[in-house]
Amino acid sequence: MIRSHWTFRVALAVILVLLAAPIFGAGRSEKAAATDEQITLRFSWWGGETRHNAYQDMLELFMERNPNIRVEAEFSGWDGYIDRLRTQMAANNQPDVFVAGHDGPWQVLPLGARADIRDFDIDLSAFNDVQLDEITSYDPAGRLTGIPVSESVRAGYLINATLFDELGIELPKSDWTWEDMAEIAQLVYDRSGGTVHGVLDESAGISYGSFGRRSWDLAAHGAAISGPDGLTQTAEQLRDTYRWWGALRDSGAATSAEISVQADDGANSPIVTRDAAMMSTALGSYSRFQANTPDDLKMIAPPDGRYPSDEIGAGISTQISSQSRHPQAAAALVSFLRNDLDAGLIFGTENGIPANRHFREALIEQGLDAGSQVQFDVHNWVVANREVVSFVGPHEAHSEFSSLQRAEEQALAFGRQSIERTVEKIIEHARNLGM
Amino acid sequence: MKKNTRTGVGFLRAARSRIRARASAAVRHIFLAGFGVMMVYPLVWLVFSTFKPNVEVFSSPGILPENWVFTHWSEGWSAIRGHTFGRFFLNSMMISALAIVGTVLSCSLAAYAFSRFRFPLKKMWFAVLLVTMMLPEQVLMVPRYILFMNLGWIDNFAPLTVPHFFGASAFFIFLITQFIRGIPYDLDESSFIDGCSRVRFLWSILLPLMRPALFTAALFTFMWTWQDFMGPLIYITSVRLYPMPLALNLFLDAQAAVNWGALHAMMTFSIAPIIALFFVAQRYFVEGIVTTGIKG
Amino acid sequence: MNTAQTLQRRRRWAEFGTAYGFLSLWLIGLFVFTVWPFAHSIYLAFTNYSFDPQYEYVGFANFRRAVTDSLSLKSMDVTARFAIFSVPLRLAVALFVAVLLNKGIKGLGVYRTIYYIPSLVGSGVAVAIMWRRVFGRRGLFNNVIGLFGASGQDWIANPDTARLMLVLLSAWQFGSSMLIFLAALKQVPNEMYESAEIDGAGVVRQFFRITVPLISPVIFFNLTMNIINAFRVFTQAKIITNGGPMNETMFMVLNIYNQAFRFGNMGYASALSWVLLLIIGAVTAVNFVGSKYWVYYETKAR
């Protein structure tokens, strides 16, 4: 009995010592690392599996070339990415390098958290001046707060070509209208005997899509909403679009609320589960969806006619933290990611068509893979045939607004709320948030 | 009575009641076993689904795989590029271990004071202890975040471990206090007569006797920190420092092509230590719950 | 005499000092990690703090919003409904199984283990992920009922059933309540049942006349703890449904988390925390007052 007391106490003491050691040890080793020239950088992005893999491959190459720099990846899905960056920035704990945007929802991120790219020795010659100027224009101090990642239109329409083939329906072309789309969607539903919906319902609170971006617009054009004209116009537009999608939903052409609500950017996307034959998505997301399904996916430009056409903007960029303790190493990483041809070839079109013109040329020269080809085709077609508008204006409460709007739209899709009431409440939310 | 059983009526009655008792036991067994199977079925299914091909995972409700696949565990292990689940497991272990040590240390000290000393304001402090026990920590998440932010503790294990060294789990102070109160006071007196100091008494006499209570506190601290999701979600941002729950969430969230078998393998991996611990130390779990009503 | 007195006094003070020495870690923790955040939270609740170093005093605006905002009201409604359904369900199942297990049954240890395991792991992320898939449209559950010819739906995506799935998950973890009931049932003297049987009382009558009153303090304890826990739901709501669909699972804690860490409304989130605390306090108080009418304490026996 006495011996067991002893072993117990000795064990307790040993555990205590062992466990105390790592805390102090860890703190010391980090300090030691800094003086040893061994630098650790943090780099964050969002995306799906294919993008994660591309970035990790690039980082491995970078670390191989810069043995004194270790890059720690902080990656996640899209949901909550901005919010997390924002919280990190508030705690002065943002990664040394991160991928982020400038407009729309990104405006919640404080400008001061980003360093001026021009302070570093980074070659900007391969980038489009218009894009660089636009990024510069977001900062009142005129600093260049990021290097653009891609230069492409934002959205495309994914088509499950295998499904179309099985149902004996001809694939739509990029010059289609929203009416064409509705017709084709209905055909899909009817021919499949009601097992496949034509298109993912974009009015049911999904976070991305051509119409999904109407909500984005609504949040972005906050100032317009509160004006007497802007408000009625937006309300009228909203009612109109809800009516349009509502009709598709009722006839089965668009997905039922149950499917739309659960739709996500990956394995549970209706185009992967074969619940819908078409859906809107970001151009750069093509390969992610294709990676998830054995079916053959195609992408064309979103329909035109009823809703505003697509935009090209500053898009997203690679940015350096103003709080970085190793700004030069961070700059080296950014330079590598966006200027080094090897990196560019690994990344391909993971985030849309690369903004660096050498990357584009190299990709074409190397021979585009199917996923990249699709993106180039859609992009080139839209630029040649559509009036491309620039993405405008911010509202800081975007995140909150869109989550409120999502719930209202879900209520509408489930038939719990009239269009009139839905629009009323959405406008009310916008007003409450000072938009 | 004995006489009575000999008579026909009494015998019949006894036999009937015996049959009834047996029938009722059988009915209870059938119900309890059936219901029990229903309760653990999802977990058993989860474990075996890690050996099923992905298409089979959700399509077949059966437990045993039709085709056995053994690659999911290795796929899951390295599913998050740059780190293996070994890393996340160690992170979880580290957090839990620190929390346990902190809890055992700080709670037994405070409990000793509450149970064996008379000092001014004792009643008040004990009341405060009971109040903090009932206080849901979720209520304090905002100001605590700001506090830890100002201390520079974000993206660090500190917010998840340091408070435990300062008696953050009031529950266990209460538990250990009650336990020590059950230890006869004569012990203290006889050792003080022998010239034993308070500290020495705690260390060499009380501590070994407190073992069951300390085990219970350690076990439940382990379970709570191991499964805690909100704390790490708020405070940890680097993937390198992710504990198991965050890693699972990342697996689910970031992997577009979700490999269900691999995900389930890692889910099983995250649950396994708790179940294993339960089987090893079942007695302390049951005692802990029964004596203090801890939520499992 | 005088020196003896001072010696005694000194010794007593030394004892106080030692006591506070032992208490010091907890006291520091109490003030740094609980009392200060608590006070700070009151202060924050009256400001529009959102990580920006510049913020203002806004009076009761946050509290006004907390009790008028439709999302906040919705979250209270959702949380209350969850508590009303999940707590009695969990306790009823726990008590029922405990009663069955109590009457001397073979393999008690095995049953106890089986029923307790869900409680062990049920609050974690792994089970939440599992639940989400099991009750999904192509999930395990629909496949099981498909074997019996029934056609399912997406139980998680449907606003009518989403919260029910969380209630079920909570009820599934009845194990720890069951263990507490089981221990209490063991304290009920067997003679009481025997004499009741002689009086001709049936099983049901015995249960309500003898069992329930005698273990009522334990029922009350379980009730109180489970209600408090029901107000703290977060992990399940975040992972399984993320508050949706239609905010039907937007629990109060999830709303506070979103307001603070997604939308950056730290001041408002602090006010919401206080509302949550007040509600929990009020419900617990009502529970305590109500307990006078049905909880039976064996005071005379002692």
Side-chain angles (χ1 to χ4, degrees):
Chain A
M1 194 60 188
I2 285 169
R3 230 184 56 194
S4 84
H5 289 177
W6 262 109
T7 44
F8 170 67
R9 267 177 292 155
V10 170
L12 197 72
V14 169
I15 291 171
L16 257 169
V17 171
L18 279 181
L19 284 164
I23 326 181
F24 304 113
R28 213 170 293 145
S29 74
E30 215 158 282
K31 262 176 219 149
T35 52
D36 267 15
E37 289 274 316
Q38 188 66 39
I39 289 170
T40 301
L41 288 180
R42 290 159 60 214
F43 171 42
S44 82
W45 70 87
W46 83 92
E49 198 178 5
T50 51
R51 195 179 300 163
H52 297 327
N53 283 336
Y55 268 128
Q56 298 269 16
D57 288 340
M58 291 156 82
L59 291 183
E60 271 165 30
L61 184 60
F62 178 75
M63 286 188 274
E64 205 180 294
R65 290 189 191 167
N66 303 275
N68 66 322
I69 304 179
R70 229 175 69 76
V71 185
E72 264 170 17
E74 289 180 16
F75 51 95
S76 69
W78 163 249
D79 189 43
Y81 179 76
I82 301 180
D83 309 315
R84 182 205 289 258
L85 262 184
R86 175 195 196 164
T87 324
Q88 287 178 326
M89 286 176 178
N92 275 333
N93 181 247
Q94 66 268 37
D96 300 274
V97 178
F98 48 90
V99 179
H102 301 269
D103 47 9
W106 299 103
Q107 297 267 343
V108 296
L109 304 181
L111 282 163
R114 296 116 159 190
D116 187 352
I117 297 292
R118 292 206 173 89
D119 284 348
F120 304 101
D121 181 27
I122 298 176
D123 181 13
L124 295 171
S125 62
F127 296 90
N128 182 340
D129 282 339
V130 178
Q131 254 185 321
L132 295 180
D133 289 347
E134 192 178 334
I135 293 176
T136 310
S137 74
Y138 286 109
D139 187 89
R143 301 177 314 145
L144 178 67
T145 48
I147 295 187
V149 174
S150 59
E151 183 202 65
S152 54
V153 296
R154 280 167 205 259
Y157 238 80
L158 273 178
I159 315 272
N160 188 326
T162 312
L163 264 176
F164 270 74
D165 198 41
E166 283 169 15
L167 298 172
I169 302 171
E170 207 179 315
L171 290 175
K173 301 255 157 41
S174 274
D175 58 357
W176 61 338
T177 63
W178 286 92
E179 276 69 26
D180 295 338
M181 197 268 269
E183 223 169 87
I184 296 168
Q186 190 63 52
L187 198 61
V188 169
Y189 185 71
D190 294 343
R191 288 248 181 114
S192 69
T195 57
V196 182
H197 296 282
V199 60
L200 172 63
D201 181 359
E202 292 184 24
S203 71
I206 63 163
S207 55
Y208 205 92
S210 321
F211 176 71
R213 282 205 339 285
R214 279 229 59 73
S215 71
W216 198 305
D217 284 345
L218 204 65
H221 295 281
I225 292 184
S226 29
D229 290 310
L231 189 64
T232 47
Q233 203 186 356
T234 314
E236 200 40 62
Q237 279 176 349
L238 273 177
R239 251 176 243 126
D240 193 33
T241 36
Y242 287 144
R243 237 176 262 131
W244 195 81
W245 281 102
L248 292 194
R249 195 165 51 235
D250 292 343
S251 68
T255 48
S256 65
E258 220 171 66
I259 294 173
S260 320
V261 163
Q262 280 291 70
D264 65 23
D265 283 354
N268 210 27
S269 156
I271 204 144
V272 169
T273 57
R274 292 186 142 224
D275 284 313
M278 302 182 278
M279 69 174 267
S280 169
T281 188
L283 204 60
S285 300
Y286 175 86
S287 36
R288 171 150 39 110
F289 288 103
Q290 183 62 80
N292 265 320
T293 169
D295 291 350
D296 179 27
L297 299 186
K298 296 257 182 291
M299 184 138 78
I300 59 175
D304 197 16
R306 185 173 276 262
Y307 305 108
S309 65
D310 224 315
E311 314 104 349
I312 291 182
I316 56 159
S317 69
T318 316
Q319 312 183 8
I320 298 175
S321 161
S322 57
Q323 304 293 319
S324 175
R325 275 184 296 167
H326 312 289
Q328 292 308 326
L333 174 61
V334 171
S335 181
F336 168 80
L337 291 172
R338 300 303 166 219
N339 265 330
D340 189 284
L341 263 189
D342 296 325
L345 286 174
I346 294 174
F347 198 60
T349 51
E350 263 308 328
N351 229 340
I353 293 164
N356 183 317
R357 81 171 68 87
H358 303 313
F359 285 12
R360 288 202 297 271
E361 288 156 8
L363 280 174
I364 292 170
E365 196 181 317
Q366 188 194 6
L368 294 170
D369 59 56
S372 303
Q373 186 68 56
V374 165
Q375 295 188 40
F376 272 93
D377 288 349
V378 174
H379 174 81
N380 292 339
W381 191 89
V382 171
V383 171
N385 295 285
R386 294 254 173 92
E387 184 199 352
V388 176
V389 295
S390 198
F391 194 75
V392 198
H395 198 282
E396 56 176 20
H398 165 81
S399 188
E400 191 172 355
F401 174 75
S402 62
S403 96
L404 290 166
Q405 186 189 23
R406 178 174 308 164
E408 301 299 347
E409 289 186 348
Q410 286 174 346
L412 173 67
F414 275 107
R416 307 298 159 90
Q417 192 166 271
S418 69
I419 290 178
E420 199 52 46
R421 184 85 188 104
T422 305
V423 173
E424 231 169 69
K425 284 171 88 175
I426 289 175
I427 301 283
E428 194 187 310
H429 290 314
R431 280 201 170 130
N432 287 343
L433 291 171
M435 295 165 75
Chain B
M1 250 336 233
K2 223 170 200 179
K3 228 178 196 174
N4 220 355
T5 41
R6 291 249 170 94
T7 71
V9 182
F11 179 76
L12 219 73
R13 196 181 286 160
R16 201 189 290 152
S17 83
R18 211 181 310 134
I19 291 171
R20 230 185 28 213
R22 245 187 234 161
S24 114
V27 168
R28 273 192 290 148
H29 269 298
I30 290 171
F31 173 81
L32 285 170
F35 192 56
V37 166
M38 241 173 80
M39 289 297 110
V40 289
Y41 169 70
L43 291 172
V44 178
W45 169 82
L46 176 77
V47 174
F48 280 97
S49 73
T50 66
F51 301 109
K52 290 177 182 173
N54 282 326
V55 284
E56 211 189 286
V57 168
F58 289 103
S59 64
S60 81
I63 295 283
L64 289 178
E66 282 162 39
N67 308 292
W68 287 79
V69 174
F70 296 98
T71 51
H72 287 322
W73 282 79
S74 60
E75 285 162 17
W77 185 260
S78 51
I80 293 169
R81 279 278 303 269
H83 303 282
T84 64
F85 262 81
R87 171 97 221 180
F88 307 131
F89 189 84
L90 279 181
N91 287 340
S92 270
M93 274 292 175
M94 182 95 166
I95 295 171
S96 294
L98 286 170
I100 288 171
V101 172
T103 298
V104 167
L105 185 82
S106 62
C107 292
S108 49
L109 290 180
Y112 182 46
F114 276 126
S115 57
R116 285 299 202 248
F117 286 85
R118 276 196 292 175
F119 53 90
L121 300 179
K122 178 172 163 179
K123 281 210 169 129
M124 187 200 85
W125 290 128
F126 201 68
V128 169
L129 180 80
L130 293 182
V131 169
T132 52
M133 229 169 79
M134 305 286 269
L135 183 74
E137 61 184 54
Q138 283 83 350
V139 168
L140 293 177
M141 71 182 156
V142 173
R144 274 198 188 146
Y145 182 85
I146 295 170
L147 172 72
F148 293 138
M149 187 174 94
N150 291 331
L151 289 172
W153 285 3
I154 301 303
D155 202 24
N156 199 308
F157 289 160
L160 305 174
T161 55
V162 172
H164 288 281
F165 282 86
F166 294 93
S169 341
F171 216 105
F172 299 122
I173 300 182
F174 178 70
L175 177 136
I176 300 169
T177 304
Q178 297 301 89
F179 190 88
I180 301 178
R181 278 178 181 164
I183 298 173
Y185 201 80
D186 316 353
L187 211 65
D188 302 41
E189 279 164 0
S190 59
S191 26
F192 295 144
I193 290 166
D194 290 350
C196 187
S197 78
R198 291 286 205 171
V199 180
R200 231 191 98 107
F201 172 74
L202 173 64
W203 177 249
S204 30
I205 296 175
L206 213 47
L207 206 61
L209 291 174
M210 281 156 61
R211 237 180 335 173
L214 297 186
F215 267 133
T216 305
L219 281 176
F220 282 93
T221 306
F222 176 78
M223 261 179 44
W224 292 341
T225 48
W226 188 264
Q227 306 211 46
D228 182 22
F229 174 62
M230 190 191 233
L233 183 69
I234 293 173
Y235 297 119
I236 307 282
T237 57
S238 299
V239 177
R240 172 179 60 99
L241 297 174
Y242 272 17
M244 293 292 279
L246 282 192
L248 287 176
N249 195 36
L250 178 65
F251 193 159
L252 183 72
D253 163 66
Q255 300 280 90
V258 169
N259 182 345
W260 288 111
L263 177 61
H264 285 188
M266 290 306 109
M267 280 155 63
T268 308
F269 180 48
S270 80
I271 291 174
I274 294 177
I275 306 245
L277 205 63
F278 173 66
F279 277 108
V280 172
Q282 192 165 2
R283 191 162 67 91
Y284 295 104
F285 270 95
V286 175
E287 263 168 29
I289 293 163
V290 168
T291 52
T292 61
I294 294 175
K295 180 206 168 281
Chain C
M1 189 67 191
N2 222 346
T3 41
Q5 246 177 7
T6 32
L7 205 77
Q8 201 182 355
R9 196 181 298 150
R10 200 177 291 162
R11 200 176 293 151
R12 204 191 310 148
W13 278 108
E15 163 135 347
F16 294 165
T18 323
Y20 273 96
F22 281 120
L23 220 51
S24 59
L25 281 180
W26 174 69
L27 280 176
I28 293 170
L30 179 72
F31 280 99
V32 176
F33 300 122
T34 304
V35 175
W36 162 248
F38 219 74
H40 193 198
S41 152
I42 302 177
Y43 168 72
L44 283 174
F46 290 97
T47 69
N48 60 0
Y49 180 68
S50 63
F51 289 131
D52 200 329
Q54 286 176 335
Y55 57 93
E56 295 161 4
Y57 174 78
V58 294
F60 281 90
N62 287 329
F63 288 98
R64 214 173 297 129
R65 187 175 165 201
V67 295
T68 54
D69 179 70
S70 59
L71 186 61
S72 170
L73 293 177
K74 176 86 189 175
S75 75
M76 291 179 200
D77 181 56
V78 163
T79 312
R81 278 169 199 268
F82 174 79
I84 288 168
F85 285 102
S86 71
V87 175
L89 185 63
R90 184 195 267 201
L91 292 186
V93 175
L95 187 55
F96 182 64
V97 174
V99 167
L100 286 186
L101 285 176
N102 185 42
K103 293 191 172 166
I105 193 160
K106 275 184 198 160
L108 171 69
V110 177
Y111 286 128
R112 212 171 48 182
T113 306
I114 286 179
Y115 288 126
Y116 184 59
I117 282 178
S119 286
L120 274 176
V121 297
S123 59
V125 167
V127 164
I129 295 174
M130 182 185 86
W131 215 255
R132 172 167 150 185
R133 302 306 305 187
V134 164
F135 290 102
R137 208 157 54 89
R138 290 168 213 276
L140 184 68
F141 182 75
N142 280 349
N143 285 319
V144 171
I145 64 169
L147 295 180
F148 301 101
S151 72
Q153 48 156 338
D154 192 325
W155 303 90
I156 304 287
N158 189 312
D160 293 329
T161 56
R163 195 169 51 238
L164 182 66
M165 293 305 112
L166 298 186
V167 169
L168 280 184
L169 175 54
S170 154
W172 185 56
Q173 306 165 49
F174 66 85
S176 47
S177 302
M178 179 200 72
L179 287 181
I180 300 171
F181 281 139
L182 199 54
L185 287 173
K186 288 223 156 66
Q187 306 296 317
V188 179
N190 225 2
E191 301 90 68
M192 301 200 76
Y193 293 113
E194 279 163 14
S195 59
E197 209 154 338
I198 288 165
D199 291 349
V203 180
V204 178
R205 217 178 132 88
Q206 283 178 31
F207 176 75
F208 284 107
R209 286 293 166 83
I210 301 171
T211 314
V212 172
L214 282 183
I215 65 164
S216 57
V218 176
I219 298 180
F220 171 65
F221 175 82
N222 265 340
L223 185 68
T224 311
M225 294 315 282
N226 277 302
I227 288 175
I228 292 177
N229 283 328
F231 277 95
R232 298 167 39 178
V233 170
F234 175 77
T235 306
Q236 294 89 332
K238 172 88 179 134
I239 290 191
I240 301 178
T241 52
N242 203 4
M246 282 167 54
N247 291 332
E248 284 299 332
T249 55
M250 184 57 75
F251 290 88
M252 291 184 77
V253 174
L254 183 56
N255 189 34
I256 295 172
Y257 171 86
N258 281 343
Q259 294 296 341
F261 298 104
R262 301 208 55 175
F263 313 143
N265 303 326
M266 303 297 262
Y268 177 48
S270 299
L272 284 175
S273 302
W274 274 93
V275 171
L276 172 65
L277 189 66
L278 290 178
I279 291 178
I280 293 179
V283 171
T284 312
V286 167
N287 198 6
F288 264 94
V289 170
S291 73
K292 277 184 191 154
Y293 300 98
W294 62 275
V295 177
Y296 168 82
Y297 287 104
E298 230 177 327
T299 40
K300 273 176 196 166
R302 284 189 185 179

